[in-house]
Amino acid sequence: MSELLPQELRVLVAVAESGGFSAAAAALGLTQSAVSHSVRGSEAKLGAVLFERGRTGASPTPAGERAVGHARRILRLYEVMGAEVRGAGRSAPGGGGLTGVLRIAAFRSAALHLLPPALERLTTRHPGLRPEVRVVRELGAGTAGEVAAGRADLGIATLGGPGETPPSLLTGVLAEEAYALVHPAGHPDPKALPLLDWDENCGSYTRAWWREQDWIPRATVKAEDDGMVLTMVGRGLGMAILPELSLREAGAGVQITDLGPRRPVRRVGYVTTPESAGSLAVRALIRELRSEKG
């Protein structure tokens, strides 16, 4: 198989992200025929159909999704190589020479509470580094999917839940969070209140524990996220079972009750690709995240 050239990779990514050959051509400053020719050449080299063509545009096939993910990751390596080489040329050994963009995907409570202190230390040491954080819901592919698709260099994810991390990715545990019962402060019988829940609270480790509890009712309200659940609890609308990161936003109207020694625990960690794990910026961020853990 012949190797794909960088420009061919850029065309694949542009078609996937724009949804069509014409839009990709406009974004790249090429003609539509040049984009079509490039895609056909890539398909011939890879031996697979990469896009479904239709009147409304083009969408990646399963093989195309895989190819586009690899294309993003390869193109990202070119960017990282340039940033690291330029940084090494400007910086004395041990200095703050890391430059460029560091792309991070994180679920809401991690983006609010786990990342900021680590990023503050990181950018103080490396002022030329520009973190870009995207908040991603931990549903379906979640933050790990953003990393696998080449849209993030590192993801902060819940590990060991129902959505398995792709085996091609590297992971590391940053924190283990215990769940607690959260209810309106001073309520005489919080377990009798309606249950409030949110879609992302679906880890297998949590649900296995829930099935053993005969006092937990079926959720009567599903909120958008854990922050909304906490607000509703504070307004006396019900009780909830939330992890420690979410509870950092608890106000005076909320009371937190320990669920005992067999309470559910979720693992929060980082997810990255083998190639990104070797980059200086990702390694530096992982060090800061582990420092935050300590």
Side-chain angles (χ1 to χ4, degrees):
M1 182 194 77
S2 300
E3 295 178 355
L4 269 63
L5 300 174
Q7 180 64 7
E8 291 175 305
L9 301 178
R10 293 187 184 95
V11 168
L12 295 182
V13 172
V15 172
E17 293 184 347
S18 66
F21 289 11
S22 297
L28 295 171
L30 300 173
T31 64
Q32 182 177 341
S33 61
V35 169
S36 298
H37 179 75
S38 178
V39 171
R40 286 196 301 272
S42 296
E43 290 176 328
K45 289 180 180 180
L46 294 174
V49 176
L50 303 180
F51 293 95
E52 293 285 352
R53 284 82 157 168
R55 286 187 235 176
T56 58
S59 59
T61 63
E65 290 280 6
R66 201 58 86 78
V68 170
H70 283 295
R72 287 195 190 98
R73 287 160 60 172
I74 293 167
L75 291 171
R76 179 60 177 156
L77 282 177
Y78 284 116
E79 296 174 3
V80 170
M81 178 177 67
E84 290 192 359
V85 170
R86 287 190 296 272
R90 286 194 294 264
S91 173
L98 298 184
T99 62
V101 174
L102 177 59
R103 306 170 306 159
I104 305 158
F107 60 92
R108 195 196 71 88
S109 57
L112 274 176
H113 304 296
L114 197 60
L115 269 176
L119 292 180
E120 184 179 13
R121 291 191 299 271
L122 182 67
T123 53
T124 298
R125 291 187 174 95
H126 303 283
L129 206 56
R130 303 189 306 278
E132 291 182 355
V133 180
R134 293 181 61 242
V135 177
V136 177
R137 300 188 76 191
E138 277 291 76
L139 295 172
T143 56
E146 293 297 295
V147 174
R151 288 186 287 264
D153 304 316
L154 180 140
I156 305 295
T158 53
L159 305 179
E164 292 188 12
T165 302
S168 61
L169 301 183
L170 301 179
T171 65
V173 177
L174 296 171
E176 292 193 346
E177 302 181 280
Y179 280 73
L181 174 64
V182 189
H183 53 88
H187 195 282
D189 188 12
K191 291 185 178 181
L193 289 168
L195 176 67
L196 308 176
D197 206 1
W198 81 104
D199 288 336
E200 290 174 88
N201 191 26
C202 57
S204 58
Y205 37 80
T206 310
R207 296 307 183 192
W209 177 85
W210 278 29
R211 285 192 293 269
E212 299 172 2
Q213 314 303 311
D214 57 10
W215 59 272
I216 300 180
R218 193 175 189 85
T220 56
V221 176
K222 278 283 186 81
E224 179 69 20
D225 56 45
D226 50 346
M228 189 178 295
V229 168
L230 200 56
T231 298
M232 295 172 75
V233 170
R235 292 182 177 275
L237 298 176
M239 57 88 171
I241 297 170
L242 293 171
E244 291 173 11
L245 269 180
S246 302
L247 296 177
R248 294 189 188 183
E249 300 171 58
V254 170
Q255 186 172 335
I256 301 168
T257 300
D258 191 280
L259 289 168
R262 296 187 65 246
R263 63 191 181 274
V265 174
R266 78 171 177 181
R267 293 184 301 151
V268 176
Y270 66 83
V271 180
T272 189
T273 62
E275 61 268 19
S276 290
S279 74
L280 297 177
V282 168
R283 285 163 54 191
L285 176 57
I286 291 173
R287 281 196 298 272
E288 296 300 342
L289 289 167
R290 289 196 182 281
S291 172
E292 185 67 15
K293 172 186 172 183

